[in-house]
């Protein structure tokens, strides 16, 4: 293996680790090689799966990405390890783009796959799944299925259990007018909002307590989150405004 390829693989791996650390909806499950050439990724994004004659909304998907011997001259080989109903995804391949550039990073591919799963990105002119392409043509007004942004904030985030535990963003934070600085001596913590109604979670878990989900709201900017009930009472950092609040 050439030194150029080794450096490229190492740089891609470093950037990917940094990306999944910052993005709550993308997780690196495992990798092989030194530096890694094969990855298994989990996406916690709403997409579709065909079960018999019905389409079911699924929020967890496993993807395998392999960097071939001629990478980056040739594109990564990507395939789903869990079934997905999408115009540009077949059991053997994910069509991540017709025009590959050696300058494109592994992180960019990971983000593109997430956008495809969310139905933010699709191509019905040259589909791998013709039935899914016909479905898109008939239901375009219902798309995307998930408005999640695959971008991440480049600012450093504090290490907090809330940032490493899976959760689903229900609604983006409301825009707030600038708040004048307060006297740090007299500043008091925000009053926690009333506890929301418990929501039945869809995650497959062995323990009912772990699977149970609740809604919570940032008391500073109004960002809404759906989290595991076991986190109730914890102090967490809002990804919308960066302020701390208590999960109720």
């Amino acid at each position: 293996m050439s030194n150029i390829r080794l450096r490229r693989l190492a740089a891609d791996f470093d950037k990917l680790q940094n990306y999944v650390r910052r993005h709550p909806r993308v997780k690196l499950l495992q990798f092989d090689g030194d530096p890694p050439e094969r990855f298994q990724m989990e996406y916690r994004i709403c997409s579709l799966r065909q079960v018999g004659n019905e389409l079911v909304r699924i929020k967890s998907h496993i993807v395998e990405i392999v960097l071939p011997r001629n990478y980056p001259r040739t594109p990564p080989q990507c395939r789903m390890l869990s079934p997905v109903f999408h115009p540009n995804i077949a059991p053997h391949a994910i069509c991540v783009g017709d025009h590959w550039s050696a300058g494109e990073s592994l992180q960019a591919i990971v983000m593109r796959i997430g956008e495809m799963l969310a139905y933010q990105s699709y191509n019905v002119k040259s589909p791998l799944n013709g039935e899914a392409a016909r479905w898109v043509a008939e239901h375009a007004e219902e798309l995307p299925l998930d408005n999640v942004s695959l971008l991440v904030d480049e600012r450093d985030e504090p290490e907090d259990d809330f940032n490493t535990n899976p959760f689903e963003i229900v609604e983006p934070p409301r825009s707030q007018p600038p708040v004048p600085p307060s006297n740090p001596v007299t500043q008091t913590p925000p009053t926690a909002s009333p506890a929301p109604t418990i929501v039945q979670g869809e995650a497959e878990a062995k323990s009912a307590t772990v699977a149970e989900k609740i809604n919570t709201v940032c008391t500073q900017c109004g960002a809404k989150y759906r989290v595991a009930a076991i986190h109730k009472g914890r102090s967490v950092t809002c990804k919308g405004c960066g302020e701390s609040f208590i999960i109720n």
Side-chain angles (χ1 to χ4, degrees):
M1 187 181 298
S2 69
N3 289 333
I4 295 177
R5 176 175 164 80
L6 283 172
R7 287 196 297 269
R8 172 61 185 264
L9 292 177
D12 273 339
F13 184 49
D14 286 344
K15 290 180 180 179
L16 181 61
Q17 285 185 304
N18 184 56
Y19 176 75
V20 298
R21 180 180 69 85
R22 295 172 183 271
H23 204 293
R25 303 271 210 111
V26 184
K27 183 179 180 181
L28 178 59
L29 297 179
Q30 64 181 53
F31 52 87
D32 297 315
D34 185 21
E37 300 175 276
R38 182 187 299 268
F39 307 86
Q40 280 190 14
M41 313 291 301
E42 179 186 10
Y43 291 83
R44 301 187 185 104
I45 291 174
C46 182
S47 193
L48 295 176
R49 180 178 300 170
Q50 189 168 18
V51 181
N53 294 324
E54 296 182 347
L55 293 180
V56 180
R57 296 198 179 206
I58 303 295
K59 296 185 179 180
S60 179
H61 315 275
I62 308 299
V63 173
E64 180 184 71
I65 301 175
V66 178
L67 306 181
R69 183 174 300 275
N70 292 329
Y71 174 82
R73 292 194 300 274
T74 56
Q77 298 170 355
C78 309
R79 68 186 181 105
M80 297 297 305
L81 299 183
S82 55
V84 168
F85 184 80
H86 188 281
N88 311 114
I89 298 177
H92 66 282
I94 302 173
C95 183
V96 293
D98 297 330
H99 304 287
W100 165 256
S101 168
E104 190 166 8
S105 67
L106 177 60
Q107 175 184 327
I109 293 295
V110 169
M111 293 170 60
R112 189 179 306 167
I113 293 173
E115 292 170 350
M116 292 173 67
L117 291 172
Y119 270 81
Q120 298 174 12
S121 174
Y122 51 84
N123 178 7
V124 298
K125 294 183 179 180
S126 56
L128 293 177
N129 185 329
E131 186 178 358
R134 289 190 293 273
W135 183 88
V136 167
E138 296 171 359
H139 298 83
E141 69 282 355
E142 301 176 18
L143 305 179
L145 296 177
D146 198 322
N147 290 314
V148 60
S149 171
L150 273 299
L151 298 173
V152 293
D153 193 338
E154 293 300 326
R155 297 173 299 179
D156 289 332
E157 297 177 357
E159 294 184 1
D160 192 290
D161 287 344
F162 192 65
N163 293 328
T164 56
N165 283 312
F167 66 95
E168 299 168 9
I169 299 177
V170 177
E171 182 178 307
R174 301 190 300 269
S175 58
Q176 296 288 325
V179 178
S182 58
N183 187 335
V185 177
T186 59
Q187 185 176 6
T188 57
T191 302
S193 57
T197 304
I198 294 177
V199 176
Q200 179 64 38
E202 296 183 12
E204 296 178 357
K206 295 181 180 179
S207 168
T209 302
V210 175
E212 188 178 41
K213 300 289 185 70
I214 60 174
N215 285 343
T216 189
V217 180
C218 173
T219 54
Q220 294 294 317
C221 69
K224 295 182 180 180
Y225 298 97
R226 193 172 129 200
V227 301
I230 57 175
H231 301 316
K232 186 176 181 178
R234 289 190 180 184
S235 175
V236 298
T237 302
C238 176
K239 290 185 176 293
C241 64
E243 297 293 332
S244 298
F245 69 96
I246 304 296
I247 296 178
N248 289 313

